[in-house]
Amino acid sequence: MLRRLLLAIVPATLLVGCMKPPMPMEAPKKPAVPADMKKVEPMVGSWTESGEIVEPDPEKMKAMMSESERAKFKSTFTGGGKAEWAMGGMALKWEGWHDMGEGQKESFVEYWTWDPKVGKFHTLYVSDWGKTGTGLATPCESCNGWRVKGAGFDELGRKSSYEGCLKMTDKDSMEWCFTERGPMGKMSLKGTSKRQ
C-alpha cells in the first residue's frame, strides 16, 4: 500500500515541481530597426555599372574559341539597378540586371539584413536565370565598404561559392571585385558602379 502511494505521489510532485510559472500573454511588439542598418545607407539609390572579366585571362579564352565565338565574345559587361529600403527599413533591397551577352539580360533581387548576433549582414540573392545564393557581408571600416562571402546554386542545382568586396570611393561611386568558383571553374570580375 505504501509503495502504491509513493508511486502515485512522487511523479505528481516531480511534475508540479518542473512546471514553469505561467508566461505573460502580452502581444509581441515589433522590434526597432537595428541602428547598424545605417551602414548600408550609402548604397541607397539608382546605379549603373560597368565591369570586366579579369580571370580567366580574356585573351587566353579567345585563343580557345572558334572564329565565330571570338567575334561574339566580350570580356566587358554592363548592368544597373536600384537599392532601396524594404520592410520598414529592416532590409535593403537591390533590384537590378546584368548584361549576359548576345542581347540577353539577367534580372535579380537581393536583400541585405542585419544580424546582431554575428555582427554582419545576411544576403539573399535570386535571379530570373535560376541562380540563388546566400552570404554574409562584413562592414569594413578601413576600406569604407563591405567584404562579402557566400555560396549558391545555378539553374541546374550545381554549387558555387563567391567572395569579394564593395568599396565606396565617394558618395556617388563604388568599386567592386568578386571571385566565383563553380562548375565553370574560377572566374574573377571587377568593376565600377556610378550613381544615376
Side-chain angles (χ1 to χ4, degrees), residues 35-56:
D36 289 284
M37 285 303 295
K38 287 286 185 189
K39 292 177 180 175
V40 293
E41 191 165 25
M43 290 193 281
V44 172
S46 296
W47 300 84
T48 57
E49 70 179 32
S50 58
E52 64 179 303
I53 298 170
V54 178
E55 188 181 351

Side-chain angles (χ1 to χ4, degrees), residues 154-193:
D154 69 9
E155 71 282 2
L156 298 176
R158 297 175 297 187
K159 291 182 181 179
S160 64
S161 63
Y162 62 90
E163 59 184 297
C165 61
L166 298 165
K167 178 182 177 182
M168 297 296 300
T169 53
D170 60 52
K171 68 180 184 66
D172 295 323
S173 304
M174 271 190 284
E175 289 180 355
W176 44 268
C177 59
F178 282 92
T179 297
E180 181 178 354
R181 290 172 177 83
M184 306 283 288
K186 179 181 174 182
M187 179 174 279
S188 296
L189 311 168
K190 70 176 184 177
T192 305
S193 296

Side-chain angles (χ1 to χ4, degrees), residues 7-82:
L7 287 175
I9 293 173
V10 171
T13 305
L14 288 173
L15 182 62
V16 171
C18 292
M19 290 179 61
K20 294 182 180 179
M23 293 185 65
M25 296 303 291
E26 296 173 10
K29 293 181 181 171
K30 183 179 178 182
V33 174
D36 289 284
M37 285 303 295
K38 287 286 185 189
K39 292 177 180 175
V40 293
E41 191 165 25
M43 290 193 281
V44 172
S46 296
W47 300 84
T48 57
E49 70 179 32
S50 58
E52 64 179 303
I53 298 170
V54 178
E55 188 181 351
D57 181 287
E59 293 306 314
K60 289 181 181 175
M61 290 173 70
K62 282 184 184 179
M64 294 184 284
M65 296 177 183
S66 67
E67 192 172 326
S68 63
E69 289 173 323
R70 277 195 299 273
K72 296 176 189 175
F73 177 75
K74 285 177 27 179
S75 61
T76 60
F77 58 91
T78 58
K82 182 178 183 180

Side-chain angles (χ1 to χ4, degrees), residues 70-130:
R70 277 195 299 273
K72 296 176 189 175
F73 177 75
K74 285 177 27 179
S75 61
T76 60
F77 58 91
T78 58
K82 182 178 183 180
E84 60 187 354
W85 295 116
M87 299 177 202
M90 294 296 278
L92 180 75
K93 177 185 176 184
W94 274 94
E95 195 162 2
W97 61 274
H98 297 116
D99 172 18
M100 300 301 283
E102 298 186 33
Q104 298 183 94
K105 288 183 179 180
E106 175 184 33
S107 296
F108 69 89
V109 177
E110 184 173 9
Y111 287 93
W112 287 40
T113 60
W114 180 252
D115 184 335
K117 190 170 183 180
V118 297
K120 298 178 182 183
F121 290 93
H122 284 282
T123 65
L124 172 65
Y125 179 93
V126 181
S127 89
D128 65 349
W129 279 45

